[in-house]
Amino acid sequence: MWKSFEILVDVLVLAAVLSYQNPQNIARAAYRMLVGLYGLLIVIYLLEALAMPTLAFRESRGYLSIYMLGVLPVMTQNALAFLSAVCAFAIICRLQRPGHAGIKLAYALMLIPALLTLVLAQSRTSVIALVLALLVYLIFDRRYALLGVVIVVTLVGSFFTSVYDASYQ
């Protein structure tokens, strides 16, 4: 019963969006709003980490001696890293599009907390997914120079890290 209600709501939302004259603009507005809300949530988690470090950080055996959790609302480190990676990917994609300098500056400022949270959450899966998503995006967008930079930075970063050492500390 619940699943059928969920499908009905999804179909009605799609029908409402597609009934407008220019549905792409509506979808873009919703997409931009979601990225903004995710960015705001990440900033709130960082502020909570500053205000309540004993609740937001736990000891870790990874590359850093701590990892970050979401406090209010409660969020695990992997979920927080996933949210940060999705937000960072959306922001990086948005920065590649033409636009006003003020908007690009705002998105660049949103990218900093997203990447900081991704690093502090220490989820290797989300970092790898972000790098792979960037590689695929840059290939399909034909930005080969930036693709080369990402590949070089990834290779250099992988030479200075050891998954084995971090896993068995």
Side-chain angles (χ1 to χ4, degrees), residues 49-91:
L50 291 174
M52 300 176 273
T54 56
L55 296 174
F57 294 108
R58 299 280 190 264
E59 288 186 26
S60 173
R61 59 185 178 142
Y63 297 109
L64 302 174
S65 60
I66 56 169
Y67 65 87
M68 184 176 163
L69 300 166
V71 178
L72 292 171
V74 176
M75 189 175 280
T76 64
Q77 72 179 38
N78 288 333
L80 185 60
F82 172 77
L83 181 73
S84 300
V86 167
C87 189
F89 179 69
I91 291 169

Side-chain angles (χ1 to χ4, degrees), residues 88-89 91-97 104 111 130-155:
F89 179 69
I91 291 169
I92 290 169
C93 291
R94 178 68 177 122
L95 287 172
Q96 299 300 313
R97 299 285 145 230
K104 286 192 172 211
L111 182 62
L130 176 62
V131 170
L132 290 176
L134 279 175
L135 292 175
V136 170
Y137 168 73
L138 293 172
I139 289 170
F140 283 121
D141 205 32
R142 296 183 182 152
R143 297 186 182 265
Y144 300 119
L146 194 54
L147 176 67
V149 170
V150 170
I151 289 173
V152 168
V153 167
T154 302
L155 289 175

